[in-house]
Amino acid sequence: MDILLTCAMKNEMQFPIKAVVNKTGLSPHVIRIWERRYHAVTPKRTATNRRVYSEADVERLMCLQSAITAGHSIGQIAQLPLEKLRALAQRNEPHLVPSVRAMASTPAVLSANTPPELGAHAYLENCLAAVQRFDAATLEAILARANVALGPLQMIDRVILPFVNRVGEMWHEGTLRVMHEHLATSAIRTFCTNLKGPQDLPATAPAIVVTTPTGQAHELGALIVALVARHHGWNAIYLGPNLPAEEIAAAAEVSQARVVALSIIYPADDPALPLELQRLRNYMRAEVALIVGGRSAGGYAKVLNEIGAITLHDAAEFRRTLDALRVYAKPAAVSSQALREPSVAASG
């Protein structure tokens, strides 16, 4: 009744959240994320404090959905005027830019003659489609087929890393829920377990401890770092996520690790993390190198610089750094600049 009264008073159509969900196909979770985090729409409130959305709000949401499906970021387009969103949505013709949802129902057809870069892109899109459908079995099957078709190195660089990045972006945008990210993490963990890397590593292979620090629960980046390191000839000891400094340092000491690699994905402004990173550096032997990467590592640049951590940005840089660290007797004394010449933890 209060909604009807509101509509009469405003002399315009107002829709409750259930009606908006039906009209747009968006979930209540996504709509509220776009409201609170990106201010894409500002619904009014009824006398009983229920959200109601105008026709313009509904149209904005539908245009945003169309643009995001075509690959645009919600953070870049959320504040655009409605006229520009309409134009953007009209330009995103389905036959030119296939949506992830379309690929979910029509998987890409691959053949022996498919160029590796096109095949990798198709596998990536199908992985994302499986995550959106919450289809774990299909996701794991696609990963397995992609590995056979592309080989482990191209698989990591062209499928796994872009997949991890995109899942993180979609979670941040609100187009994926936590349950979707957990499903992706589980599938990647299974893949990494099955693809451990060379089994004939010599006993003298250098050890690297891989984890995420306290407060960092997203482990996809760390899983990829461990996988890359194994395939680069390192004894990668993966400890899982969210580990306190003293436990990371203890693991490095027991394993006589030459390197500790941390993935920092979210959040980028944890007030407790700088002190935790300082503690870790103090607990470890000086000759143990500390490598840090991930999409939020830049948020802690000041403390990372203070403690002499090596901040990396991609898998290629990570591999070059591992090569350099095998050569130097005291890796911690090597500057980040020296390791980058000539110019990962994997971002994810």
Side-chain angles (χ1 to χ4, degrees), residues 263-333:
S263 175
I264 299 179
I265 303 298
Y266 179 86
D269 57 356
D270 181 352
L273 188 52
L275 180 58
E276 191 73 4
L277 293 170
Q278 290 172 339
R279 285 174 177 161
L280 176 59
R281 182 67 273 177
N282 290 336
Y283 292 157
M284 292 193 305
R285 289 175 286 113
E287 60 267 26
V288 178
L290 179 60
I291 292 178
V292 181
R295 73 173 61 252
S296 291
Y300 306 93
K302 183 175 183 293
V303 66
L304 292 175
N305 183 61
E306 289 173 353
I307 65 177
I310 302 165
T311 306
L312 303 179
H313 305 89
D314 57 49
E317 190 177 8
F318 180 47
R319 292 186 183 107
R320 289 195 297 270
T321 300
L322 290 179
D323 284 341
L325 290 172
R326 294 179 85 115
V327 174
Y328 287 97
K330 292 186 177 181

Side-chain angles (χ1 to χ4, degrees), residues 91-111:
R91 287 201 300 271
N92 294 331
E93 298 181 28
H95 69 280
L96 295 177
V97 186
S99 69
V100 173
R101 187 170 296 174
M103 294 197 73
S105 57
T106 310
V109 177
L110 303 170
S111 71

